[in-house]
Amino acid sequence: MADEDVRQSLLSSTNDSLNLNETKAIQRRKSHHRSKGPSEKESQEQEKVLQPLINVEPTFVGLEFRIKYVLLLLALYLGIGTLWFFLIKNQIYGKKTNGVIDAIYFCVVTMTSVGYGDLVPHSTLAKILSCIYAFTGVALVGLILSNAADYIAEKQGILLVKSMLKNEKFNTAEVLMDVENNRDKYKFLMTSLLLVVLIISGISFLILVEGMEFIDAFYCVCSTMTTLGYGDKSFSTQEGRMFAILWILSSTICLGQFFLYLAALYTEKRQRSLVKWVLNRKLTPSDLEAADMDHDEVVSAAEFILYKLKEMGKICQDDVLLLMERFKDLDVDHSGTLTTDDLILS
């Protein structure tokens, strides 16, 4: 009963505070309403609509910094590899076009583990350098996979929100909440769209520039994107290898992200189903007994929430025990509550 009174008083004070703030805000708007011209009011309305994005955009600053760092590593990696394999180009056998382009192309095919076999190391030195480059390349591709496509999807999500917020039919809060709650879904859709574009562009280029039939072009695109790289079909012209340098990197990374987001969507769907089941199922006496952490034969709101969070898989018993131990350490006077004196004494 005491908990209920405290809760009601908190809710009452919160609502009073919100109503007071809203009243003051309305009074301020009314006092300035007549002094504003049409252009100023229009500008203010646009600012009001886009205001939620001010809090959303900074989230991507760290992500943008990371992608720049990864791209710098990629450029450095390709630069070193290009220099290596250009200097030993006579020790690499296969169909060649241009020394520099072939060196970059060989770097990309090696680091993505496509390995067509149209260019192969022949000498001992070339084989050792290729092994070193392949191992470090796999690590770098993993780093790119975790940042690049994720960054693109996040930025596209921001642009989507901006375009939707300019339409008066959409509610700002609802749109932002929808984007936040369906983040993996939007990432999956954006990655799927990008994957389709890469597949179409790859097939079109192989048909128009490399002179392949449609089936052969589709076969080459699939074997490249999945890094199978059988080698019977590949980019053999100078123009084709220039295109392949960017296309192979983009397509292999995009396909990896596609399956990553697909798995995330499946996991999220299972998690939501579990949460729905946990919230809707009826409680039993055994549930109350399990939720009663202090064994006082009553379950408080805090105990109920902790029990449900554990049932949803959000937290585990070890997490609760660690936090309880930390609370006991801070509660110097053993009053069951934390005060400023406790913090000072601890």
Side-chain angles (χ1 to χ4, degrees):
M1 192 69 183
D3 289 343
E4 181 66 20
D5 293 339
V6 172
R7 188 176 69 86
Q8 290 295 338
S9 63
L10 286 173
L11 289 174
S12 176
S13 61
T14 303
N15 290 333
D16 291 342
S17 177
L18 289 173
N19 291 333
L20 181 60
N21 291 335
E22 290 178 0
T23 304
K24 290 181 178 179
I26 292 172
Q27 289 175 350
R28 284 196 298 270
R29 285 197 296 268
K30 287 182 177 179
S31 63
H32 294 285
H33 178 73
R34 295 181 181 178
S35 60
K36 294 175 181 175
S39 59
E40 187 178 354
K41 286 192 289 185
E42 182 180 351
S43 175
Q44 193 176 55
E45 285 297 322
Q46 185 177 4
E47 182 181 352
K48 180 181 176 182
V49 171
L50 296 177
Q51 180 66 28
L53 290 175
I54 296 175
N55 297 325
V56 176
E57 293 267 15
T59 307
F60 306 99
V61 173
L63 187 60
E64 188 171 354
F65 173 78
R66 289 201 304 271
I67 194 62
K68 288 180 180 178
Y69 176 72
V70 170
L71 290 177
L72 180 62
L73 283 179
L74 177 62
L76 183 63
Y77 177 79
L78 287 176
I80 294 173
T82 300
L83 180 62
W84 277 1
F85 296 118
F86 178 76
L87 292 177
I88 60 170
K89 60 183 178 181
N90 294 328
Q91 301 176 41
I92 297 177
Y93 288 3
K95 187 175 181 179
K96 300 180 180 180
T97 57
N98 177 277
V100 176
I101 294 175
D102 288 343
I104 302 175
Y105 171 75
F106 183 77
C107 289
V108 172
V109 169
T110 301
M111 72 178 289
T112 56
S113 70
V114 171
Y116 286 125
D118 49 355
L119 292 175
V120 293
H122 185 68
S123 67
T124 301
L125 176 61
K127 290 178 181 179
I128 292 174
L129 289 177
S130 297
C131 290
I132 295 173
Y133 202 79
F135 276 111
T136 54
V138 169
L140 184 58
V141 167
L143 187 62
I144 295 173
L145 273 173
S146 63
N147 288 277
D150 192 48
Y151 171 76
I152 294 172
E154 293 282 9
K155 293 299 288 185
Q156 291 299 323
I158 281 291
L159 293 176
L160 174 65
V161 173
K162 283 183 176 180
S163 62
M164 293 175 74
L165 289 178
K166 290 178 181 178
N167 191 334
E168 295 180 357
K169 295 180 181 179
F170 292 96
N171 179 272
T172 300
E174 290 179 357
V175 171
L176 288 175
M177 185 174 293
D178 180 65
V179 171
E180 181 65 27
N181 293 337
N182 297 281
R183 185 179 295 272
D184 288 333
K185 177 182 177 181
Y186 289 132
K187 286 181 180 179
F188 175 75
L189 292 175
M190 291 306 304
T191 307
S192 301
L193 179 61
L194 182 59
L195 187 63
V196 171
V197 171
L198 287 169
I199 291 174
I200 293 175
S201 62
I203 292 174
S204 301
F205 188 90
L206 288 170
I207 293 174
L208 297 174
V209 179
E210 295 289 335
M212 294 185 186
E213 297 293 333
F214 174 79
I215 294 299
D216 290 336
F218 180 72
Y219 165 77
C220 182
V221 164
C222 291
S223 63
T224 300
M225 297 182 77
T226 55
T227 70
L228 289 172
Y230 290 120
D232 51 342
K233 299 294 179 182
S234 62
F235 297 88
S236 57
T237 64
Q238 180 175 326
E239 295 79 9
R241 289 182 176 176
M242 290 176 65
F243 172 80
I245 289 169
L246 292 176
W247 184 82
I248 291 175
L249 275 174
S250 303
S251 59
T252 52
I253 290 172
C254 186
L255 185 65
Q257 289 297 103
F258 173 82
F259 288 114
L260 176 65
Y261 293 141
L262 182 62
L265 277 178
Y266 176 74
T267 304
E268 182 184 357
K269 183 179 179 180
R270 286 177 58 87
Q271 181 64 30
R272 288 185 177 182
S273 298
L274 175 61
V275 169
K276 185 177 180 181
W277 176 79
V278 168
L279 292 176
N280 292 333
R281 79 177 185 86
K282 293 183 178 180
L283 289 177
T284 63
S286 60
D287 290 324
L288 292 180
E289 183 179 352
D292 185 14
M293 296 181 63
D294 55 5
H295 306 292
D296 60 353
E297 297 185 354
V298 292
V299 176
S300 64
E303 289 175 327
F304 175 78
I305 292 171
L306 284 174
Y307 177 70
K308 284 299 182 181
L309 286 175
K310 286 192 292 182
E311 202 173 21
M312 293 175 189
K314 302 289 186 180
I315 59 173
C316 64
Q317 184 65 26
D318 292 337
D319 296 329
V320 177
L321 293 176
L322 285 173
L323 291 173
M324 289 297 294
E325 288 297 325
R326 180 56 179 161
F327 181 86
K328 290 178 181 179
D329 292 339
L330 293 173
D331 185 17
V332 179
D333 59 4
H334 305 291
S335 63
T337 58
L338 293 180
T339 63
T340 307
D341 293 336
D342 288 327
L343 299 181
I344 294 173
L345 292 174
S346 63

